[in-house]
Amino acid sequence: MPKSPENIPPGPVNERDAKASPQGRGRRAALIQALRELLREQPPEALTFAKICERADIPRASAYHFFPNMGALYLGLRLVHSELVAARLSQVDTSQFESWQDYVYFLAAEAIAIVREDPAMMRVVYGVRTEETMHVGKELDSKIASIALKQVMERFALPFWPDAARKVSIAVALIDSVFRFSFREQGTITDEIVREAGRAAVAYLRCYLPEYVDSRH
């Protein structure tokens, strides 16, 4: 029997999946979960479609119906990561922050928390680069930036700054770039690197925001 999925959304990724039976959606989730389990044990280059099907206990002929190749499987897991990060950030209690700088440092730590907790997520986010996963990465950065800007503006009385959304997006991209550098150099992301990522984003945003701003409550 296929393994039970772990935090894998059952939703469709295309029109064909939208028409799939509950059993079909369960198999799709089981395949993504099998990939996640194997990535905890092995690097991406060691995995094959056959290994994933074997772990999920699903015949390859059936698996191809949901994921035509490894790239599609990696995309499925990246979408899981994206949903987990967005959900985590959306639940933040902003009353704990004394300054916008505190929030940015927290944002860096929170954005990377899921991948630091799960080697599979670390490897799929920073060890797999395909056109599909890069597109998901850009969408996630945009989603994080939107959540961050909304939360900071609700917490602090920020002055008007033109093109604020784009500037916050650049700050988020800086954080992600520091993380990618660390993974490429060390194969991990340390506490020091998380602080460095926060510093990079704060230094950039200081070009547009005053050092001190009042809180709204």
Side-chain angles (χ1 to χ4, degrees), residues 132-149:
E132 293 86 358
T133 59
M134 288 172 63
H135 179 69
V136 172
K138 291 177 183 177
E139 287 189 344
L140 178 58
D141 283 355
S142 177
K143 188 180 296 184
I144 290 174
S146 177
I147 294 171
L149 181 58

Side-chain angles (χ1 to χ4, degrees), residues 28 33 36 83 86 103 105 126 130-132 134 137 156:
R28 175 181 171 271
Q33 176 59 21
R36 187 174 182 179
E83 291 183 14
Y103 177 88
Y105 282 109
Y126 296 110
T130 66
E131 184 176 346
E132 293 86 358
M134 288 172 63
F156 300 104

Side-chain angles (χ1 to χ4, degrees), residues 104-178:
V104 173
Y105 282 109
F106 173 84
L107 180 68
E110 197 70 356
I112 202 62
I114 290 171
V115 300
R116 295 181 79 198
E117 293 165 2
D118 188 343
M121 291 301 186
M122 179 80 74
R123 284 170 167 161
V124 77
V125 172
Y126 296 110
V128 175
R129 299 283 282 177
T130 66
E131 184 176 346
E132 293 86 358
T133 59
M134 288 172 63
H135 179 69
V136 172
K138 291 177 183 177
E139 287 189 344
L140 178 58
D141 283 355
S142 177
K143 188 180 296 184
I144 290 174
S146 177
I147 294 171
L149 181 58
K150 180 176 182 293
Q151 289 178 336
V152 170
M153 294 187 71
E154 288 176 350
R155 172 64 177 149
F156 300 104
L158 298 178
F160 171 77
W161 44 316
D163 211 7
R166 185 169 185 274
K167 291 178 173 64
V168 173
S169 293
I170 292 173
V172 170
L174 285 171
I175 290 172
D176 187 62
S177 295
V178 173

Side-chain angles (χ1 to χ4, degrees), residues 47-74:
L47 301 187
T48 64
F49 202 88
K51 284 184 178 181
I52 294 163
C53 293
E54 181 179 2
R55 175 63 67 95
D57 195 20
I58 294 174
R60 268 191 286 180
S62 297
Y64 284 129
H65 176 75
F66 305 105
F67 300 100
N69 51 46
M70 287 293 294
L73 267 167
Y74 284 128

